[in-house]
Amino acid sequence: MLLLKGLRKSFRGFTLYVEELEIPDNSYVVLLGPSGSGKTTLLRLIAGLETPDAGAVYIDGRDVTKSPVWQRDVGIVFQNYALYPHLTVFDNIAMPLKNRKLPKEEIAKRVRHIAEILGIQNQLEKYPHQLSGGQQQRVALARALVKEPRVLLLDEPLSNIDARLRLEVRGFLKSLQRRLGTTVIHVTHDQEEAMALGDLLVVINNGRIEEAGPPSQLYSRPRSLFVFNFLGLSNVLPASRLGLGGDELIGFRPEDVVVGEGRYTGKVARVEYLGPYKLLEIVFNDVVIKARVPPHLAVDEGAVVRFDVEKDKILRFPS
Amino acid sequence: MRDKQILFLALPAILYLFSFTTYPIISNIVLSFYERTYEGSLKWVGLGNYLWFFFRDPYGGLILWNTLFYSLATPVIAVTLALPIAVALRRLGGRWLVLLMLPAFVPPVTAAMAWYLMLNPLYGLGYYLMQSGVVKSNPLSTIWTVVLIDVWRALPTAVLIIYSGLRALPRSVEEAAMADGLVGVRKFFAIDLPLVSPHILTAFVLTALTGFFTFDPIYIGTAQVGPRLLDNLAYYSFEKFASGEFGYAATLIVVMTAVGTLLSLAYMKALSAKTMLRLPGVYRLPNREAPRALHAAVLAAALAFVFTPLIWLAIVSVKPPREVINVPPSLLPSRLSFENYEAAFTSGLPFFLMSLYVSLINTAVTVFLAAAAAYQMRVHNLGGWPLVTYILYLMTTPTLLYIVPLYLVVRSLGVYNTLWALVLTYPVMTLPYAIWILYNYYSGFNKQIEEAALADGMTRVKAFFKVVLPLSRSGMGVAGLYAFLFSWGALVFPLAFTSTPYNLADPLSFSGAQTFSIYISMLMSPVTMSYGEVSAAGVVSIIPPLIYLIAVRNHLEKVWGAR
Ligand SMILES: Nc1ncnc2c1ncn2[C@@H]1O[C@H](COP(=O)(O)OP(=O)(O)O)[C@@H](O)[C@H]1O
Ligand SMILES: [Mg+2]
């Protein structure tokens, strides 16, 4: 189990503060937040590549705050992979083991084993520049995993992958984690990627953790307006606009809007055809409401439609 | 579409370079098949000059041996010293770098003179070296002294290249090494050293070029210890040129050009080298940081090496003239005396003025022509890689190669021994370097700035002057620094193209054009024994480049940061 307590790190004009964050074993954790929110900084604090100004990091109850990276039992995959260009794939993967002076046969066995898991057993004699980006990433993963770390840290691992391959690599990462049973902490700014992968989602904004929880909970029952907005398309408006009581803000997803019948009448300002569904923008009471409708529903821009919002899906946020 | 105006801007520099370098290279080859007879006419001798040099010349063996020695000892020692210094700099902070760079800004003649002055076995620290038995024979008469001076001059370049290589190591690779548990000494040999090995190779080849073309230390040293002892190809060919044996001089120069070209090609290969060294057995090395004190000691030793000759020079320069030639020499002056400076200013003034004129004119001309050419080469890809390669080639080979044909040109134009001879020829020495600096500088330049100016209705020429040039100030400042430095410290060209001091009785004739470097080397002659005066002149010779350096120091990072 990984535990962060009172962790603080300040740069000029930026402070990261984590009051408490507990990361259970054997889970796929995604750190999600907009760019510049402090995700990389948090990851580097866990890795030991940055020293915190205050607070502590515990791995399995052991305080590792003062320990250097290599004593922390973490594996790191850097955003640009950071392979050693002068070494073969085999020697790249073997580096952490050789450094511990394990016996030669033991090293070869473990390198082969992890290379097989990652599907790069045929590339072991090549140099990094002879590999594709995806293969380089697997080498970087192998190097991080060969020492069997408690925690594997991935900083935006899909950002340098070809868009076509991204889904495939995403699936691979998740199944790899399931197979090896390590804890993975995966940083991304892509909410779709985050929801697809995470057992636990940690949403971070401007140096603070907004909310942590399973993706489904954060998507449909977030406590924070930021999380609600960040995790998908959303409608946010004062409750009074829909004639609902209270002076709070209300929020609901476009798919929670029913079009064709209901209490409200509005004018369709825009129709976007998106394949599996259509997105409408309905002007009602001086606000724009996004609604998701089946693709075959015939509505034209300028049409006047009736609609309603599913009551039990409406979230309330203090304004 | 090739725009005529692009060509127009680049043409002056390119035409100049081609005519002033290609013609001499070809002319040398032609001349090398001739011999100048006593009557002064040229006689065809076929390969005779070459056969004479390699098989008959009584000095041939010595010259080849010395040349080889300088070309190997200099890079080996300079790189071996530069590596730990660069590592220490990285650990202790780059602010010390600027102090270590100092030798690069001291005119080569002054550097050689300061070392010979310091090692002098009667009037310099050499006296104490011999007394204490550290040195057994006269330190002036050994070729090691020439190497020592070469190393002193080459060290800044080597340190700079290796240090910037170390700084350019990707941070993430360093962190990956950290995550893999590699620290300190072991990490250095397992990761850092292999990754900077292309830089080390570059430094090696570049300092080998310095060693191969060594001239100034031999010129000064020969005056101290007599002829032929220290000679290498470069110096020997100059001697042959000076004694009028143009054919033989050209032959030696052709041999040098061939070797220099090979070294220069090796340099270009090193610049783009990807292969990295791998060291066996690194896992047996200690996995911890070397103590900070060790780094500090390395840096302190390096600074002592750099500053000792300069400090000695300054001390001698303020000794009362009579005390300069006391044996044993005093370590500190008995009183502060400026008589040496007075003497140097009186007799040195014409030389000083001439150097200043030609340096300022040439710097302005060089920077302007270089900017106009480099911009078109980089941004509009004018000339492509062949032109870039040619510039790089010219940059790594010295101007000594062109003296014979250019001397004949200068003679036939009737400008021998005037300021104009120097103004005409100095760009050969400074243009390639300036173009190269600006060519790299413009790689980070936003092309759209020029395009926006064109869209506003300016012509390309106007856009270049109104928009590009004003934005190139830092690149031009640094290119100008080197142009000034080379012009100010030049020795070979003024030796070849002038014969008397600037005639102050008729200042506007600008004739008589010996420079301050020549003045310093003349004072070093053991006949004049003007060691006090020469040390004062040496100190003075360092000041103009330093003023320039201080003026542009903020822009240097941009050029020094590059490989
Ligand atoms: N080493 C550093 N020095 C100064 N500022 C830094 C440093 N690292 C990160 N920052 C700043 O901290 C903030 C968060 O950065 P980062 O953790 O990289 O965000 P993210 O990974 O979420 O995009 C940014 O404003 C960044 O400029
Ligand atoms: Mg980041």
Side-chain angles (χ1 to χ4, degrees), chain A residues 11-14 33-42 44 50 155-156 187 204, chain B residues 171:
Chain A
F11 296 116
R12 220 161 53 89
F14 175 84
S35 148
S37 56
K39 307 177 297 288
T40 298
T41 306
L42 181 53
R44 292 170 59 81
E50 303 275 1
D155 194 354
E156 311 244 1
V187 161
I204 173 168
Chain B
R171 177 154 161 229

Side-chain angles (χ1 to χ4, degrees), chain A residues 120-310:
Chain A
I120 47 172
Q121 65 272 36
N122 298 325
Q123 321 286 338
L124 289 176
E125 299 313 315
K126 291 190 181 161
Y127 283 88
H129 69 264
Q130 298 169 315
L131 303 179
S132 71
Q135 287 170 326
Q136 289 184 20
Q137 185 181 44
R138 286 172 184 236
V139 177
L141 276 166
R143 181 178 64 180
L145 287 169
V146 76
K147 46 188 179 180
E148 295 168 4
R150 298 281 301 162
V151 184
L152 178 66
L153 306 173
L154 309 172
D155 194 354
E156 311 244 1
L158 301 178
S159 64
N160 284 348
I161 301 273
D162 213 56
R164 287 176 301 118
L165 285 176
R166 217 166 279 169
L167 275 185
E168 192 184 312
V169 176
R170 197 163 95 179
F172 173 76
L173 286 176
K174 180 87 176 206
S175 65
L176 184 70
Q177 185 268 333
R178 288 287 184 264
R179 197 164 150 196
L180 299 174
T182 23
T183 300
V184 169
I185 302 183
H186 172 133
V187 161
T188 180
H189 60 265
D190 179 331
Q191 48 88 16
E192 189 191 312
E193 180 183 319
M195 291 204 286
L197 280 169
D199 301 321
L200 177 69
L201 219 57
V202 179
V203 180
I204 173 168
N205 178 33
N206 198 14
R208 305 287 141 126
I209 293 181
E210 285 279 344
E211 209 173 333
S216 58
Q217 181 194 325
L218 294 202
Y219 184 77
S220 51
R221 293 270 149 222
R223 274 180 284 113
S224 124
L225 185 56
F226 175 84
V227 173
F228 179 65
N229 277 324
F230 196 67
L231 283 192
L233 285 178
S234 55
N235 293 297
V236 177
L237 50 153
S240 54
R241 289 296 166 102
L242 287 188
L244 303 171
D247 50 5
E248 309 128 295
L249 291 175
I250 54 167
F252 49 91
R253 302 275 178 207
E255 59 265 35
D256 301 331
V257 180
V258 186
V259 176
E261 57 191 41
R263 286 174 292 166
Y264 311 113
T265 314
K267 193 168 162 194
V268 177
R270 220 154 63 83
V271 180
E272 268 180 29
Y273 176 74
L274 291 168
Y277 60 91
K278 274 181 181 166
L279 195 67
L280 310 186
E281 285 187 7
I282 304 170
V283 180
F284 170 77
N285 218 351
D286 289 340
V287 290
V288 175
I289 290 169
K290 292 191 268 305
R292 189 172 152 162
V293 295
H296 49 77
L297 187 79
V299 267
D300 292 324
E301 289 179 0
V304 173
V305 292
R306 301 194 69 80
F307 68 95
D308 211 332
V309 182
E310 287 183 43

Side-chain angles (χ1 to χ4, degrees), chain B residues 225-249:
Chain B
V225 300
R228 295 296 90 84
L229 220 54
L230 309 175
D231 285 19
N232 62 352
L233 263 174
Y235 187 73
Y236 192 53
S237 66
F238 176 79
E239 288 263 287
K240 291 295 162 192
F241 160 76
S243 59
E245 298 178 47
F246 293 162
Y248 198 45

Side-chain angles (χ1 to χ4, degrees), chain B residues 320-522:
Chain B
R322 214 136 1 125
E323 212 174 301
V324 171
I325 45 173
N326 274 359
V327 185
S330 58
L331 288 181
L332 287 174
S334 62
R335 64 182 171 88
L336 218 54
S337 151
F338 292 101
E339 284 163 72
N340 293 323
Y341 284 90
E342 280 162 28
F345 266 114
T346 327
S347 63
L349 185 65
F351 302 93
F352 187 86
L353 285 180
M354 185 47 63
S355 280
L356 205 58
Y357 292 164
V358 66
S359 303
L360 291 177
I361 296 174
N362 187 48
T363 302
V365 170
T366 297
V367 166
F368 179 72
L369 293 184
Y375 183 79
Q376 318 305 331
M377 285 169 62
R378 172 61 91 180
V379 174
H380 299 299
N381 199 24
L382 182 80
W385 68 264
L387 186 56
V388 176
T389 311
Y390 191 61
I391 298 293
L392 204 55
Y393 168 71
L394 293 181
M395 194 185 107
T396 48
T397 50
T399 49
L400 178 76
L401 301 182
Y402 313 118
I403 51 170
V404 185
L406 289 186
Y407 169 80
L408 298 173
V409 168
V410 161
R411 273 283 183 194
S412 66
L413 290 178
V415 291
Y416 178 75
N417 199 26
T418 66
L419 170 64
W420 314 122
L422 303 182
V423 168
L424 187 67
T425 51
Y426 269 30
V428 175
M429 171 168 60
T430 51
L431 249 186
Y433 212 90
I435 292 180
W436 180 245
I437 288 176
L438 284 160
Y439 178 78
N440 287 316
Y441 173 77
Y442 282 129
S443 70
F445 201 81
N446 187 354
K447 186 181 175 177
Q448 278 148 12
I449 291 173
E450 189 197 3
E451 286 168 353
L454 293 181
D456 290 347
M458 291 192 201
T459 63
R460 256 195 217 289
V461 174
K462 193 165 177 198
F464 179 75
F465 285 103
K466 293 252 161 189
V467 182
V468 176
L469 271 194
L471 290 172
S472 319
R473 238 176 288 147
S474 58
M476 287 166 70
V478 176
L481 173 65
Y482 283 91
F484 184 84
L485 213 58
F486 291 169
S487 314
W488 182 257
L491 180 63
V492 174
F493 272 10
L495 278 177
F497 307 143
T498 68
S499 55
T500 57
Y502 181 26
N503 179 8
L504 282 180
D506 183 8
L508 290 183
S509 72
F510 294 109
S511 70
Q514 287 187 320
T515 59
F516 207 57
S517 307
I518 296 187
Y519 174 64
I520 289 177
S521 56
M522 289 193 314

Side-chain angles (χ1 to χ4, degrees), chain B residues 80-104:
Chain B
T80 310
L81 294 180
L83 200 54
I85 296 173
V87 172
L89 274 179
R90 180 168 63 153
R91 179 81 186 276
L92 301 172
R95 63 182 177 285
W96 300 102
L97 179 64
V98 69
L99 289 179
L100 288 173
M101 289 304 291
L102 195 63

